[in-house]
Amino acid sequence: MKALVMGGGMAGLCAATDLCDFGVEVQLLEATDILGGRATSWVDADGDTVDNALHIFMPHYCNCLGFLAKVGAEPLHWTQGITNYDERGRSGLLPIGGGARTVLEAMRSPTMSLIDQASLGLAVLTSALMSKEELDACDEITLLEWFKRHGVTRNAIAHFRPGGAGLTFLELNQVSAKALLYWTSSFINREYMLNPGIGFANGGLGEIYVEPARRYIEARGGKVETGRKVTGLLVRGNEVEGAVTGDGETVKADFYISAMPYYELRRVLPDEALDYPYFLDLWRLQEAPSVSVQIWFDRFVTRMRNIAAQIRGTFNCFADMHTIVPRLASKATGSMVEFVLTPAFHLRGLPAERIFKMTLEEFRRIMPAAREAEVRKWVVTRERQGIFAQRPGADRFRPPQRTPYPNLYLCGDYTKTFISAGMENACASAHLAVGHALYEHLGKEVTLFSRPTAYNEYLRKGLAAGTALGGAALAARFLRARGRKVTA
Ligand SMILES: Cc1cc2nc3c(=O)[nH]c(=O)nc-3n(C[C@H](O)[C@H](O)[C@H](O)COP(=O)(O)OP(=O)(O)OC[C@H]3O[C@@H](n4cnc5c(N)ncnc54)[C@H](O)[C@@H]3O)c2cc1C
């Protein structure tokens, strides 16, 4: 049984390793010369690691972390919370992904009052108490609207904004509430209780998981071919019968898994595919672009131990990888700061030099030590689709992994699961696509997809029981007091 995987990003690599595990003959075609897609890195001529973009991992990424562990990727480095900087360079901790210690530290934040923090904390708790149906309904409104309805203060919203924009590449008044409430509701999971942190790859993503994944596939007889672009899908009757590549070859397999972004899939589908609303809906998805900047300084300009964010400005999240990531720190002689600039609709066409200058200027404003330092080198990277634009109403157009063609499956971070777009969904969707293919073509029933252990239901029941008990105690007290009054 042979499978063709089209696209060698995280989803394609994850799907290919799953297929190898079940003895399927795998051929993977990647259009570019580098595997890993958006989640990758390379080493430049000076021997420095260049990240395509700053990536963080969360404890509830059970599908993604399972994939990394399976291919033997180096364990992640876990950090605590997000440090928020205001325009005056004052900083305070937002305990996203943090444990009790970070919550206590956050309470001393000079930029956020206790009322701000309580309003945000209550909103997070409310999101964790929502049922699946309630969460789905949140796709109709923006997060800003949802926050306002739930009494989150203006200052708390301003503090949440950089993290939200860093995760979804949209402003809070543009992004579906569901897309971000998925993240906040995930904080009440067993995984967060065990590991309340934010994970960084201990080195470039290309080193820590891409090469191990390639080795994993090749060691099991799979073929990984870079620089081979799929340019068309041949369909006969209702089945895919081959994939045409840029060099004119037609590659055939028993089944096909597309791990390409949807805008590439749209280009390779034959016209007759548009007879299906399933494929037609791919044209409803939109991209949210991203810009990333990486700056190397001639000395250390931060003492960062975790990810940080700027409350207002061109870049939102940033991290000094040479002070945070142990493997890079061990040989570093100065800071290397990575910045995420999103939303990037207004930036994507600007010259790289201008983007770099804006970023450096803002960074020097909030980080005084950077004012004296020389810039050794800088790199600007852009992604046409940082992530698909999770605007209100877009969720219903995400395609599930099974397609109307019985031998074609889709995976990738834009495809439909209960998870918002990101690396966890890339891997979760790959597991689902392979699970369907193994069942339908090999008759094997396997569950590769895993869910984090959510405590949300316990919390809901606990709060309901607590409210009922409290109500009963109050009623008993009232009745006793009344009884005493009547006797007197
Ligand atoms: C700036 C930035 C920051 C991010 N930060 C985070 C983060 O902190 N946490 C997180 O979880 N996620 C983050 N993400 C998102 C994450 O990178 C993606 O969700 C994930 O990498 C998507 O993987 P994928 O395999 O679905 O798609 P991709 O990575 O896009 O892979 C698709 C692959 O298909 C290939 N391809 C395209 N067309 C063809 C063709 N015709 N033939 C063959 N191959 C083709 C592409 O070259 C690519 O390698 C970030 C993304 C960006 C851009």
Side-chain angles (χ1 to χ4, degrees):
M1 182 68 57
K2 179 181 170 186
L4 181 71
V5 178
M6 300 169 283
M10 191 178 261
L13 290 170
C14 181
T17 62
D18 283 348
L19 291 163
C20 289
D21 291 342
F22 289 89
V24 177
E25 183 192 339
V26 177
Q27 184 173 3
L28 184 151
L29 302 181
E30 162 56 41
T32 68
D33 293 333
I34 301 180
L35 292 168
R38 280 166 277 165
T40 196
S41 67
W42 56 91
V43 176
D44 70 6
D46 306 323
D48 291 315
T49 299
V50 181
D51 278 321
N52 187 45
L54 174 63
H55 278 79
I56 55 164
F57 297 78
M58 301 300 238
H60 68 271
Y61 280 20
C62 44
N63 294 285
C64 178
L65 299 181
F67 162 60
L68 297 188
K70 182 175 85 173
V71 298
E74 190 160 329
L76 300 176
H77 173 66
W78 293 94
T79 61
Q80 302 274 305
I82 298 185
T83 304
N84 267 319
Y85 285 84
D86 71 5
E87 296 93 329
R88 291 159 55 194
R90 294 180 309 166
S91 64
L93 199 71
L94 196 64
I96 291 183
R101 202 161 51 88
T102 51
V103 173
L104 288 177
E105 201 181 327
M107 288 167 100
R108 295 197 298 267
S109 166
T111 61
M112 246 178 132
S113 70
L114 282 179
I115 292 182
D116 294 330
Q117 295 187 31
S119 72
L120 192 55
L122 273 176
V124 169
L125 196 63
T126 308
S127 72
L129 291 173
M130 285 194 302
S131 63
K132 186 188 168 301
E133 290 68 31
E134 286 166 328
L135 195 59
D136 283 345
C138 290
D139 193 48
E140 298 306 319
I141 57 169
T142 66
L143 187 74
L144 185 66
E145 269 175 88
W146 192 90
F147 269 174
K148 284 184 176 164
R149 284 185 201 174
H150 289 81
V152 182
T153 64
R154 274 168 79 104
N155 191 35
I157 293 175
H159 279 70
F160 188 88
R161 184 204 151 265
L167 283 171
T168 62
F169 305 177
L170 293 175
E171 290 293 356
L172 300 190
N173 64 356
Q174 301 169 323
V175 67
S176 147
K178 180 184 173 187
L180 275 166
L181 294 176
Y182 153 74
W183 295 90
T184 57
S185 66
S186 300
F187 296 158
I188 318 288
N189 284 343
R190 180 167 168 267
E191 287 68 16
Y192 274 99
M193 309 295 151
L194 296 177
N195 178 10
I198 293 181
F200 284 87
N202 195 3
L205 286 169
E207 295 162 89
I208 79 127
Y209 91 89
V210 174
E211 276 314 306
R214 178 210 281 269
R215 285 197 295 272
Y216 190 97
I217 299 162
E218 289 178 343
R220 286 154 184 81
K223 283 194 203 147
V224 178
E225 298 169 21
T226 53
R228 291 203 74 193
K229 184 173 178 148
V230 174
T231 53
L233 279 183
L234 300 177
V235 173
R236 183 191 288 250
N238 203 35
E239 293 229 329
V240 175
E241 69 160 6
V244 181
T245 59
D247 47 18
E249 196 195 328
T250 299
V251 182
K252 294 194 180 245
D254 295 293
F255 61 89
Y256 300 78
I257 296 189
S258 165
M260 303 178 275
Y262 59 83
Y263 55 83
E264 278 294 323
L265 178 64
R266 291 195 301 223
R267 287 194 325 106
V268 305
L269 281 171
D271 285 353
E272 57 263 38
L274 305 187
D275 292 342
Y276 294 100
Y278 173 94
F279 288 120
L280 212 48
D281 279 350
L282 292 173
W283 270 259
R284 293 190 184 255
L285 300 176
Q286 294 173 359
E287 297 126 35
S290 68
V291 172
S292 302
V293 179
Q294 206 167 328
I295 305 179
W296 286 258
F297 291 92
D298 66 344
R299 65 198 80 169
F300 284 102
V301 297
T302 84
R303 290 165 192 232
M304 288 172 72
R305 290 282 172 262
N306 58 352
I307 191 164
Q310 173 178 233
I311 295 174
R312 258 169 233 96
T314 313
F315 62 84
N316 47 62
C317 299
F318 63 101
D320 186 342
M321 303 301 267
H322 282 182
T323 58
I324 298 175
V325 176
R327 193 167 172 204
L328 298 176
S330 62
K331 40 185 185 192
T333 53
S335 290
M336 186 273 276
V337 189
E338 293 187 11
F339 301 86
V340 178
L341 284 68
T342 52
F345 296 97
H346 61 303
L347 297 171
R348 58 185 158 177
L350 286 182
E353 179 96 32
R354 169 67 51 187
I355 294 173
F356 156 68
K357 278 188 181 153
M358 285 159 72
T359 307
L360 182 64
E361 201 172 293
E362 285 182 10
F363 183 59
R364 284 185 165 151
R365 200 172 61 214
I366 59 172
M367 204 65 73
R371 292 174 198 159
E372 308 300 320
E374 296 282 321
V375 170
R376 199 163 65 72
K377 182 164 75 177
W378 56 272
V379 173
V380 171
T381 51
R382 306 164 203 249
E383 282 289 347
R384 163 181 174 175
Q385 172 182 255
I387 223 143
F388 95 93
Q390 298 169 99
R391 294 183 192 274
D395 197 56
R396 76 178 78 110
F397 300 119
R398 295 169 75 184
Q401 290 69 36
R402 290 175 78 217
T403 77
Y405 297 141
N407 65 344
L408 174 67
Y409 303 87
L410 309 188
C411 63
D413 65 347
Y414 71 93
T415 62
K416 180 125 182 141
T417 66
F418 67 92
I419 303 166
S420 295
M423 291 184 288
E424 171 63 356
N425 201 41
C427 295
S429 63
H431 288 333
L432 285 170
V434 172
H436 288 306
L438 291 177
Y439 181 65
E440 283 155 16
H441 296 271
L442 269 86
K444 283 194 176 142
E445 203 165 342
V446 288
T447 308
L448 302 164
F449 170 81
S450 50
R451 284 174 185 271
T453 317
Y455 286 153
N456 308 38
E457 193 55 34
Y458 295 118
L459 185 69
R460 221 182 343 261
K461 285 187 180 147
L463 279 180
T467 313
L469 278 175
L474 273 178
R477 236 180 124 167
F478 172 73
L479 288 175
R480 252 204 327 267
R482 235 182 123 203
R484 273 204 296 271
K485 229 187 240 168
V486 171
T487 328

